[in-house]
Each structure stands twice: as C-alpha cells, then as structure tokens.
Amino acid sequence: MLKTKFTINLTFLVILISGCQREENYITNSSIGLFSYSSYPIGTAIDINELESNAIYKSISLKEFNSITPENIFKAEALQPKPLTFNWTEADSLVSFFLTYNKRIHGHTLIWHNQLPQWIIDYQGSPYEWEQLMKVHIQTIVKHFKNKVTAWDVVNEAFNEDGTLRNTIWKQKIGVGYIEKAFLFANEANPNALLFYNDYNLESNPIKRNSVLSLLKNLRNRGVKVDGIGVQMHVSTYYPEPTQIAIAFQEIIADKFKIHLSELDISVNPLGKNIILSESLFNEQANLLGSIVLNYNQIPKQYQYGITFWGISDKNSWIRSFYNREDYPLLYDDNYMPKPCYYKIFKVL
Ligand code: G3I
C-alpha cells in the first residue's frame, strides 16, 4: 500500500519536473530544437553568406529548424546569370550541406519579377521564345535538384492588392497563361515535387486571396497540379488580427490547398517610428506569434506543409535594409539570443 502511494507520488513528481524542465532545457541550450517539438516542419530562410561566415548562425540553423529555404541563391539572377549558363556552386553547396543533416529543402523561387538577371530583362523574343526561355529556366533547375528539393515556389507574387494580375515581365511577354505554363513545366520536370504559389498579404487581404484561390482552383480543375499556397506572413504587431489570419487559413484549406507559412516575420515597427524597446513590445510580438501557431495547429495535418521564418536574427532581416527602419521581426536578437517569441513558439507547438 505504502509502496503504491510512493510510486504514484513519484510519477506525479517526475511529470511535474519534466514539464518545468522542458523549458529549462531549452533555455540552457540543449540539443533539443524547435522542430523536435513540432508535428510539422519548422523552417528558416538561409542567407548563404551568414551560413559560411557565422558559426552561431550555422549551429542555430541546424539545431532549431528542419526545413530550409534559400533566401536568395535560388532566384533567377543567382542561378542563371547568363543565358543558358547556370551557376550551381553556392546552391549545390547549401543543398548538400543541409541534406547531410536530413533537412527538407524548399525551392524559392522559379518565376518572379524581381531578382532577374539583366539578360532576361533585356531579352527580345516572340511570346513563343519567351515561353521557351521560361521552360528551360524552370526545367533545368527543377531537374538539377530532383530528389533533393521537396517543393517549389513555382510562381511568386503574381497578383496586385486589388486582385488583378500583376503586369510582370512574364505576363507582358507570354500573356496571362504564363502561370499555368510555369506549373505545367515544373510538374513535367519533376512530377514528385510539391508545387506552390507564393504571395504576401494573403492572410490579410481577402480580395487578393480570393483572386489567387480562383486562379489556382481553375488551374486544378483543368488538371494542372498545384499543391499549395505559400502565405508569406510578413505581418506586424499592428496588423492583421489573429481572427483574420484564422479566416484566411480556413478559406485556403476549404479549397484543399496545403498551407506553407513561407516567410514569417513579425514587425514591431511597421510605421518606422522612433521606438522605445520594452518587454511589453516583445511580449506583444510573442503573443501574436503564439496565436498564429495555434491557428496553424488547428488545420488538418494534410494541409500543414510547415512554418518557415524569414531569417534567424533581427540583425539580418530583410526588413531593416529594405525599409531602412529600426525593427526586430525574428526569433533571435542581434546577438543571436532567443527572444520572447522564441519561447512562445516552443510553448504552443
Ligand atoms: O547580390 C548583391 C551583392 O552582390 C551585393 O554585394 C550586395 C550589397 O548590398 O547586394 C546583393 O544583393 C542583395 C540581395 O538581397 C542578395 O543578398 C540586394 O541588395 C537585396 O535587395 C536583396 O534583398 C532580398 C530581397 O528579397 C530582394 O527582393 C532579401 O535578401 C530577401 O529576403 C527578399 O526576400 C523576398 C522573397 O524572396 C519574396 N517575398 C518577399 C521577401 C522580402 O522582400
């Protein structure tokens, strides 16, 4: 009798201690990373220059994340800087490094209007020749990384905020059908790869989201393979509300597309003001991240492709250089110390 009581109490104590210790372990930099606590992949964008020069960055990328999106080196200017001259050196080195550690590689991005090499911008050709250019670009890259890259952002940011198609160079030269063709070419090159459409403000702008969903449903109804949507999630502590985000997720899964939170960061200073750093500012950021993750947890497993943060440390976030403003949008501070949002995601996963 006494023995039983003791066993029960001991079990209770072990549970209690292990609960407390979970966070404690984490804080004391054990080998347990965020992704180990998640039922879906947790990823980050990787900057090759940081990876090659910063040991802390490299070790965080390996410890915390199991999905990797190259931030810039898969873009057209990097992979095909000259016509039919593909530069694989950096991309191959990044891919083989992370595959050694069994990380998933997410390919970003095949067709976009930014970060194009000058020769594409200057290219003179008929619509057919442009289509061939696009086909060769997509298929050479997708075939090169066959069995290495799990999924591709086939087309990136093709819509305006009012729901119309953006007048990109691809639309101008090939016509509105370029998106469909891009997906067909990618699928032809690797039928096993998952194919995504990726864009920003899909979590907050229902007009843009509905246009994207209509186009993708239309493609799918005509037999074009589209597996999911990259909801970039460049959000802020001001906007949007978690309820808006939840509605967006529900609408996308109602149309049976996987969701990749593909470029998550949370600005704390979207208006570019002089800000005073405080605990409450970072707690607010952490609470929003908590709500986003909890909402993502609610969607059925088959639609959870994963959550990818757009970088590791605030220091290297694109937001500071792009908007030239003070901001702190990521999980780690400038000294690679975890922030409240880091601990929050760990708690809600
Ligand atoms: O490649 C040059 C390099 O030669 C030069 O030495 C260096 C000097 O500043 O600049 C390098 O180019 C930079 C490039 O990143 C590669 O590092 C550009 O200046 C810089 O503007 C560029 O920014 C990237 C941006 O896309 C370009 O549009 C960001 O790092 C990257 O995070 C950002 O990512 C995009 C996603 O792909 C799509 N969704 C939006 C997201 C944020 O803008």
Side-chain angles (χ1 to χ4, degrees):
M1 182 70 177
L2 254 180
K3 198 176 169 202
T4 314
K5 238 184 181 174
F6 177 73
T7 313
I8 290 166
N9 287 343
L10 197 65
T11 311
F12 177 70
L13 203 66
V14 168
I15 290 168
L16 198 73
I17 291 172
S18 66
C20 300
Q21 216 137 39
R22 215 163 82 130
E23 186 164 1
E24 195 59 28
N25 281 340
Y26 218 55
I27 296 166
T28 53
N29 201 21
S30 77
S31 59
I32 303 161
L34 280 174
F35 78 84
S36 314
Y37 283 91
S38 175
S39 60
Y40 45 78
I42 301 290
T44 182
I46 287 288
D47 173 354
I48 186 84
N49 298 320
E50 283 297 305
L51 185 74
E52 287 175 349
S53 62
N54 184 338
I56 300 174
Y57 180 95
K58 188 193 261 188
S59 89
I60 293 175
S61 72
L62 292 175
K63 179 190 157 205
E64 306 291 348
F65 305 101
N66 61 348
S67 180
I68 297 297
T69 304
E71 186 173 358
N72 285 300
I73 61 172
F74 270 34
K75 292 170 179 172
E77 68 176 5
L79 283 184
Q80 197 184 178
K82 302 255 160 52
L84 300 180
T85 303
F86 287 81
N87 177 7
W88 307 114
T89 315
E90 286 188 326
D92 280 350
S93 133
L94 180 146
V95 167
S96 75
F97 173 73
F98 283 110
L99 285 182
T100 310
Y101 292 92
N102 295 319
K103 308 297 183 186
R104 180 180 74 181
I105 312 290
H106 182 83
H108 173 82
T109 174
L110 294 168
I111 296 299
W112 193 25
H113 56 278
N114 276 339
Q115 290 177 280
L116 289 171
Q118 195 58 42
W119 75 267
I120 292 189
I121 296 166
D122 294 341
Y123 184 74
Q124 300 292 325
S126 65
Y128 176 75
E129 287 164 327
W130 268 90
E131 194 181 309
Q132 289 310 299
L133 180 160
M134 183 171 83
K135 179 176 183 179
V136 169
H137 182 75
I138 291 175
Q139 296 200 329
T140 308
I141 295 170
V142 173
K143 283 179 187 164
H144 181 84
F145 292 109
K146 212 168 185 170
N147 303 323
K148 294 180 176 167
V149 168
T150 303
W152 291 96
D153 289 336
V154 179
V155 176
N156 194 43
E157 301 172 4
F159 279 84
N160 295 311
E161 294 307 295
D162 66 1
T164 56
L165 265 190
R166 191 193 287 269
N167 196 23
T168 66
I169 196 166
W170 303 107
K171 175 172 171 264
Q172 289 167 31
K173 305 296 185 182
I174 300 175
V176 292
Y178 85 91
I179 299 178
E180 170 169 355
K181 285 173 182 152
F183 277 92
L184 288 170
F185 293 151
N187 184 48
E188 206 174 83
N190 181 6
N192 295 324
L194 295 174
L195 305 181
F196 284 78
Y197 172 81
N198 190 52
D199 213 329
Y200 57 85
N201 289 348
L202 299 180
E203 68 287 348
S204 57
N205 180 349
I207 297 172
K208 186 176 189 177
R209 182 169 68 243
N210 289 338
S211 294
V212 168
L213 283 170
S214 315
L215 176 93
L216 300 184
K217 278 189 289 183
N218 186 280
L219 296 188
R220 196 175 49 196
N221 289 341
R222 292 190 297 111
V224 181
K225 179 169 138 69
V226 182
D227 297 285
I229 298 185
V231 180
Q232 292 185 7
M233 301 285 295
H234 294 295
V235 296
S236 81
T237 47
Y238 288 54
Y239 185 78
E241 294 291 330
T243 45
Q244 286 173 269
I245 297 173
I247 290 169
F249 292 175
Q250 289 310 316
E251 285 183 13
I252 296 171
I253 63 164
D255 285 334
K256 300 189 166 49
F257 290 107
K258 290 181 191 298
I259 301 181
H260 181 200
L261 303 190
S262 57
E263 304 184 11
L264 178 57
D265 47 27
I266 303 181
S267 165
V268 294
N269 188 22
L271 304 176
K273 293 182 175 161
N274 289 328
I275 47 170
I276 297 163
L277 300 184
S278 65
E279 206 183 319
S280 72
L281 187 73
F282 291 116
N283 286 341
E284 204 185 328
Q285 181 183 48
N287 289 337
L288 177 59
L289 181 59
S291 312
I292 292 169
V293 174
L294 286 171
N295 277 324
Y296 194 75
N297 292 345
Q298 299 301 311
I299 69 177
K301 194 162 181 45
Q302 74 263 34
Y303 299 122
Q304 292 170 327
Y305 176 77
I307 299 182
T308 297
F309 291 88
W310 205 239
I312 294 177
S313 155
D314 290 338
K315 190 179 177 180
N316 311 113
S317 165
W318 69 284
I319 289 180
R320 288 192 186 172
S321 49
F322 188 81
Y323 294 109
N324 191 23
R325 73 175 187 232
E326 185 181 355
D327 217 326
Y328 306 89
L330 291 167
L331 297 179
Y332 289 81
D333 72 12
D334 284 41
N335 299 312
Y336 289 91
M337 295 305 289
K339 293 161 57 187
C341 51
Y342 169 90
Y343 297 115
K344 180 62 109 178
I345 181 176
F346 161 68
K347 279 181 189 154
V348 293
L349 272 173

